Every structure is written in structure tokens, then in C-alpha cells.
Amino acid sequence: MPLVRRGNFSIFLMTFGEDSVNFRRADVFDIYEHLRGKRLELNGKPERYTSEEHGEDGTAWMTYDPDGHGVYFNTNRRETTPEHRQERVRQLLQNTEQDLVDLGSSEECLDAFREVLAKFGSD
């Protein structure tokens, strides 16, 4: 599975048998209810699944944008654990530090951010 990564942004090139984009690591049921509250026309409904092939449980939902492209939301149960979320925050903060460096942020800005990183981004 090809991966393009830059800082906090990742694109995985995958094939689901149709044009689609995949969003991960969010509460699929909350996303569905939020979009339903906006009175959007939605296809399908979120479902819980067990994948014996991968040994994972999770939630998934495939819907379609107005042009007919698939929009797939899925989250594995392990991605909802406090440990996983803490690791994800740590990764996001570290990647943001690199983004700030790459954008040429001032030393004052970097020092302030590194204080935040020391409090929340370290193990």
C-alpha cells in the first residue's frame, strides 16, 4: 500500500473497487449523526464489524459525495484506546514542530511550541 506522508498529513493509495477517499480514527457514528443533523443526503449507515482476517474490531461506513465518489469512514477499536490517542497527540505535536521549522518560524515561536511539546508530547 503506497503511502505519501508530510507532517500530520498522510495519503494511503488503496483500492476499494471504486473511486473513494478514506477517513480514519474518528467516531463513525458521531460523524454520521453530525452529517445527518446538517440534513445531508446520506447513503448507508455506520456498522460495527469484526475482521477475522485482521483480528480487529471496529466501525465503518461508506457513503457517496454528490458526484458519486465513495467517502469511507472507518476506525479500528484499538484506535479508540486512551493509549492510542495519547500516542497520536504526541505524533501530531512532533510533526507540527517539524512543520514550524520548515515554515521558517522564529526561534521565539519554536521555543514557545517546544514548551507545549515538553508538557504534552513527551512520554
Side-chain angles (χ1 to χ4, degrees), residues 3-12 22-27 74-97 99 113 117 120-123:
L3 165 68
V4 176
R5 177 172 284 150
R6 171 64 183 99
N8 291 320
F9 183 76
S10 300
I11 296 176
F12 294 88
N22 176 218
F23 295 95
R24 296 188 56 83
R25 296 186 184 106
D27 186 312
N74 75 312
T75 302
N76 294 325
R77 186 173 55 188
R78 66 180 159 73
E79 293 173 329
T80 63
T81 65
E83 297 81 16
H84 187 275
R85 289 180 186 215
Q86 183 177 4
E87 174 60 19
R88 188 73 182 122
V89 168
R90 188 186 67 71
Q91 288 173 351
L92 288 168
L93 288 171
Q94 288 180 340
N95 290 341
T96 299
E97 177 185 26
D99 288 343
F113 182 80
L117 186 61
F120 300 104
S122 61
D123 296 332

Side-chain angles (χ1 to χ4, degrees), residues 19-122:
D19 288 344
S20 61
V21 62
N22 176 218
F23 295 95
R24 296 188 56 83
R25 296 186 184 106
D27 186 312
V28 176
F29 289 93
D30 283 350
I31 292 168
Y32 177 81
E33 290 302 325
H34 176 77
L35 295 176
R36 225 178 90 187
K38 299 285 184 187
R39 295 189 166 92
L40 297 174
E41 186 176 324
L42 304 173
N43 306 93
K45 290 188 176 189
E47 298 178 355
R48 298 192 188 287
Y49 68 84
T50 300
S51 172
E52 299 205 8
E53 177 184 345
H54 301 327
E56 299 175 340
D57 295 340
T59 57
W61 171 45
M62 174 70 97
T63 190
Y64 297 87
D65 72 13
D67 294 324
H69 300 101
V71 182
Y72 183 63
F73 298 92
N74 75 312
T75 302
N76 294 325
R77 186 173 55 188
R78 66 180 159 73
E79 293 173 329
T80 63
T81 65
E83 297 81 16
H84 187 275
R85 289 180 186 215
Q86 183 177 4
E87 174 60 19
R88 188 73 182 122
V89 168
R90 188 186 67 71
Q91 288 173 351
L92 288 168
L93 288 171
Q94 288 180 340
N95 290 341
T96 299
E97 177 185 26
Q98 187 60 52
D99 288 343
L100 289 170
V101 169
D102 292 348
L103 290 169
S105 297
S106 70
E107 283 303 314
E108 181 181 53
C109 176
L110 290 170
D111 288 344
F113 182 80
R114 287 174 177 143
E115 284 184 40
V116 171
L117 186 61
K119 287 183 182 181
F120 300 104
S122 61

